[in-house]
Amino acid sequence: MVHSTGPQAVREVHVADAMEWLAVQGALPASSLVTSLPDVSETGMAFARWRVWFVEAAARVCGALSPDGLAVFVQTDVRLEGRWIDKGALVVEGATRAGAELLCRKVVCRRPPGSCSSAGAAFSSLLVFGRGRVLDRTLPDVIPDVIAEPGPSTWGRGVGRDACGAAVRFILRYAPDTTTIVDPFCGEGMTLAVANALGLGAVGVERN
């Protein structure tokens, strides 16, 4: 499925299994990746199996990085049987396995700052990875360290519009050779729409 919103902002969606799709891509030239990996409740897997799968998924996403691209994950920790599962740490484990390094971490508030929460995480982590590169510190950052809210979303578990915008603007600042944003777990496509709105092409993969 291909949708065009202008001469440069082309949107392409593949109905496929993301893990299989990533396995055959290799490094994606002129591309950066923005995604949110599914948590255990979305997969139907037992926890032990999901943990292995999740780390491998992060490794495959980072395995698709070109030297000039960035990979951005927006992940919300989950509570399982009274214990917190740090999905950011699992992403770092997978990224490290793929030879990518954590370059930046920011916070996206899911509830007003100062809120108390014990049942569900009140924030998401926005983690940026690169392969064999460092951020250009001569460029002032355009994204605050704490993003006040994720913005509207068409799906309760989806990454909000403002969080997607922060991720894409970060890429525009620090990976200017990027012409396409790839989301291998694109869901209803918020990341793809935001990438198009900011003038970039977009490629999504979604099994269902």
Side-chain angles (χ1 to χ4, degrees):
M1 180 188 315
V2 176
H3 173 70
S4 178
T5 58
Q8 295 179 331
V10 173
R11 185 183 314 161
E12 179 181 322
V13 178
H14 300 268
V15 181
D17 180 275
M19 297 290 275
E20 296 174 2
W21 188 85
L22 286 166
V24 300
Q25 294 307 306
L28 297 167
S31 297
S32 290
L33 299 98
V34 178
T35 199
S36 179
L37 304 181
D39 67 36
V40 62
S41 66
E42 297 174 78
T43 64
M45 299 178 189
F47 174 74
R49 180 186 174 199
W50 168 82
R51 188 190 187 286
V52 172
W53 176 89
F54 190 96
V55 171
E56 177 60 23
R60 291 199 186 186
V61 170
C62 290
L65 265 177
S66 68
D68 295 328
L70 296 171
V72 183
F73 295 81
V74 183
Q75 300 294 164
T76 306
D77 295 343
V78 293
R79 190 165 180 155
L80 182 65
E81 298 178 352
R83 295 174 297 170
W84 283 104
I85 309 302
D86 185 344
K87 289 199 289 184
L90 297 181
V91 170
V92 172
E93 182 179 339
T96 301
R97 181 184 300 177
E101 298 176 327
L102 180 62
L103 302 177
C104 179
R105 180 192 297 262
K106 295 179 180 287
V107 171
V108 180
C109 295
R110 300 181 66 87
R111 300 179 188 175
S115 298
C116 296
S117 174
S118 59
F123 65 92
S124 300
S125 295
L126 190 154
L127 305 105
V128 183
F129 296 86
R131 183 189 297 276
R133 59 171 298 169
V134 295
L135 299 182
D136 184 351
R137 295 300 180 187
T138 66
L139 295 173
D141 198 348
V142 294
I143 307 301
D145 290 333
V146 178
I147 300 164
E149 58 181 37
S153 175
T154 56
W155 180 50
R157 294 182 183 271
V159 179
R161 180 197 63 198
D162 297 347
C164 288
V168 175
R169 287 195 301 274
F170 193 93
I171 289 166
L172 287 169
R173 171 67 68 167
Y174 290 110
D177 292 332
T178 296
T179 60
T180 302
I181 298 296
V182 179
D183 185 349
F185 299 89
C186 70
E188 293 190 334
M190 179 66 79
T191 298
L192 311 183
V194 169
N196 286 163
L198 292 174
L200 298 176
V203 175
V205 181
E206 180 57 44
R207 183 170 60 183
N208 182 3

